[in-house]
Amino acid sequence: MRKRTRQVSVGGVPIGGDSPVKIQSMTTTKTSDTEGTAAQIGRLEEAGCEIVRVAVADEADARAIAAVKGKIRIPLVADIHFSPRLAVLAVENGADKIRINPGNIGGEREIAYVADCVRAHHIPVRVGANTGSIEKEFLEKYGRSAEALVGSALYNVGILERHGVEDIVISVKASDVPLTTKAYALLSERTDYPLHVGVTEAGTTEAGIVKSAVGIGSLLLNGIGDTIRVSLTDDPVREVYAAREILRACGLEKDYVEVVSCPTCGRCEWESMALAQKVTEFVRPYKKRLKVAVMGCVVNGPGEAKDADIGIAGGKGRCVLFRKGAPYKTVDADAAEREFFEELKGLLQDGKGDGSISE
C-alpha cells in the first residue's frame, strides 16, 4: 500500500494523494536555447515524461521559460541554486514549480523572499536536499547521514510553512543507495508531504539504471514515493524509459505491452536475442495490456510463457508461434521475424496512430 500523502498540483498535474506516481526528467540543453530546449522536451513528452525540469543558471535562462512554455505541453519546473532572485524571475516567467536546494539557497530571509513569490503565483516548491549540499549545522551535528539530509530538508520546509507556503514536495537524494533509501524512509515517517524520489549522480547508463532501480524500486515497493526521476549521464529520454520500466516492475503501471524473453542458453539455435530487442522497441509506444514472449527454444518456451498473449520459440531451422502456451503455427526460421510481427501487429491493429491503443 502506498502511503497517502498530501496532493499538490504542478501545472494541472497532480502529485501525491491518490494520483499515480509521476515520471520526471531534466533537460540537458541550455535553457536560454529555447528551440533546442523545447525540442528536447518534445522528445521527453513522447517517451512518457509527465513533468520536466530545466536548469536556471542565469537571468537569460529564467526569462527563456516563458518562450519554452509556449512550445511544450507538460509542466515545467525551474531548478534553482544559489539565487533567490533567479527563483522569483523564473516564477514570474511562468514556471509551474521551482526546486530550491536547502544547502545553497540562503537563510530565512532568502527563503521568505521566494515563499512570497510562489504563494502569490499559487505554485508548489520542491525542497531538494542532497548529500553534496547539506547545511553546515546538520552536517556538523549528524555527519553525512540520513539524519542530516532529512533534518536539513525539514528545517527549510518549516521556514516555508512559517511564510504561508504549504504546496511543498520534498526530496533527500544521495548517490549512495542504502543512504538514499534510509533517508526517504526516515522522511516518510516524519512528514505527509509528497516525496520526489531518486538516486542522485547515479552514473552512466548501465550502472545508473541499476542503482536507480534498486533505490527507487525498493522505496516504491514499500509505499514511498509520489514522483520519480532516474538520473543518468545520458540522453534524458533514457531516464524516462528507465523510470517507466521501474514503475512496471513494481506493478504501478498496468497499461503497457510487456515483453518477456529468456536469457537463452546453448539450446538456442536462432537469433532470439535480436528479435527480443526489436519487439521491445516496436511495442514501446503502445498503451495496452498485452504480454509478448520471445523464447530461445521450444523445449520449455511455450510452457514458461503460457500466460503470454502471443509468443515465439525457436528450434533448429523452425520456430513455433503460440498463444497462452498453445502452439498454433510453425514457420521456417528465416521467415520467423516477418511472421511474428504480422501476428503481433494484428493484435495491435486497433492503434490510433499516436502510439495509444484502445481496449
Side-chain angles (χ1 to χ4, degrees):
M1 292 291 293
R2 192 163 131 229
K3 177 181 175 179
R4 185 177 177 85
T5 56
R6 306 185 195 187
Q7 188 173 96
V8 303
S9 177
V10 182
V13 173
I15 294 177
D18 293 325
S19 66
V21 176
K22 299 301 187 299
I23 295 173
Q24 299 197 31
S25 186
M26 187 171 181
T27 58
T28 58
T29 56
K30 176 69 173 170
T31 305
S32 57
D33 172 12
T34 58
E35 293 296 330
T37 300
Q40 188 173 76
I41 294 173
R43 291 174 53 235
L44 290 169
E45 288 181 23
E46 291 177 3
C49 183
E50 296 164 287
I51 299 170
V52 68
R53 182 158 44 114
V54 300
V56 176
D58 52 36
E59 187 172 315
D61 287 341
R63 295 190 184 281
I65 288 173
V68 173
K69 283 265 296 179
K71 302 174 186 293
I72 66 174
R73 294 174 293 179
I74 58 177
L76 184 147
V77 181
D79 192 66
I80 309 295
H81 293 269
F82 305 109
S83 175
R85 183 182 63 83
L86 288 180
V88 169
L89 191 58
V91 173
E92 291 174 342
N93 277 274
D96 297 297
K97 174 185 169 189
I98 62 168
R99 178 273 176 115
I100 60 172
N101 189 326
N104 61 38
I105 195 64
E108 180 151 3
R109 183 179 65 177
E110 288 80 11
I111 295 174
Y113 176 58
V114 175
D116 290 343
C117 181
V118 298
R119 191 179 66 249
H121 286 81
H122 306 288
I123 68 165
V125 56
R126 171 160 70 98
V127 175
N130 61 53
T131 47
S133 53
I134 299 171
E135 287 175 297
K136 185 177 179 180
E137 63 179 283
F138 294 97
L139 198 57
E140 291 177 347
K141 184 176 182 179
Y142 298 109
R144 192 180 173 93
S145 65
E147 289 78 7
L149 271 171
V150 172
S152 183
L154 290 181
Y155 172 74
N156 284 265
V157 167
I159 296 175
L160 288 169
E161 290 174 330
R162 285 199 297 275
H163 292 276
V165 175
E166 294 186 347
D167 286 339
I168 300 171
V169 179
I170 312 174
S171 64
V172 283
K173 298 183 183 182
S175 59
D176 178 276
V177 174
L179 175 55
T180 297
T181 56
K182 184 178 179 181
Y184 275 107
L186 183 62
L187 181 62
S188 182
E189 291 175 357
R190 296 185 182 179
T191 185
D192 65 349
Y193 281 117
L195 304 184
H196 170 121
V197 171
V199 178
T200 193
E201 300 161 1
T204 52
T205 307
E206 185 175 342
I209 288 175
V210 171
K211 289 177 72 172
S212 296
V214 173
I216 297 172
S218 63
L219 288 166
L220 292 174
L221 288 172
N222 281 285
I224 297 171
D226 301 285
T227 181
I228 65 174
R229 189 257 173 123
V230 174
S231 299
L232 301 177
T233 309
D234 202 338
D235 184 335
V237 168
R238 290 185 178 270
E239 297 184 349
V240 178
Y241 288 159
R244 287 170 63 178
E245 292 299 331
I246 291 170
L247 290 181
R248 291 168 179 177
C250 291
L252 296 175
E253 183 179 330
K254 303 296 185 182
D255 292 331
Y256 70 100
V257 181
E258 179 183 5
V259 179
V260 297
S261 58
C262 68
T264 78
C265 66
R267 289 193 300 266
C268 184
E269 298 178 287
W270 69 295
E271 296 297 325
S272 67
M273 287 189 285
L275 180 58
Q277 187 59 47
K278 289 179 182 179
V279 171
T280 299
E281 293 299 321
F282 177 75
V283 303
R284 195 188 298 277
Y286 290 96
K287 294 186 181 296
K288 182 175 184 177
R289 195 173 301 182
L290 193 72
K291 189 169 187 176
V292 181
V294 181
M295 308 301 285
C297 73
V298 295
V299 172
N300 53 10
E304 287 183 355
K306 63 183 178 181
D307 60 339
D309 297 286
I310 185 171
I312 184 171
K316 190 171 184 178
R318 308 284 279 176
C319 288
V320 172
L321 275 60
F322 57 90
R323 292 184 179 179
K324 299 297 184 182
Y328 69 93
K329 182 184 286 189
T330 301
V331 296
D332 290 337
D334 292 341
E337 182 175 319
R338 176 179 54 81
E339 291 273 356
F340 186 65
F341 270 105
E342 286 181 0
E343 297 286 332
L344 179 57
K345 289 173 184 176
L347 290 179
L348 300 173
Q349 64 184 354
D350 54 343
K352 299 176 182 177
D354 60 356
S356 61
I357 294 293
S358 60
E359 290 290 339

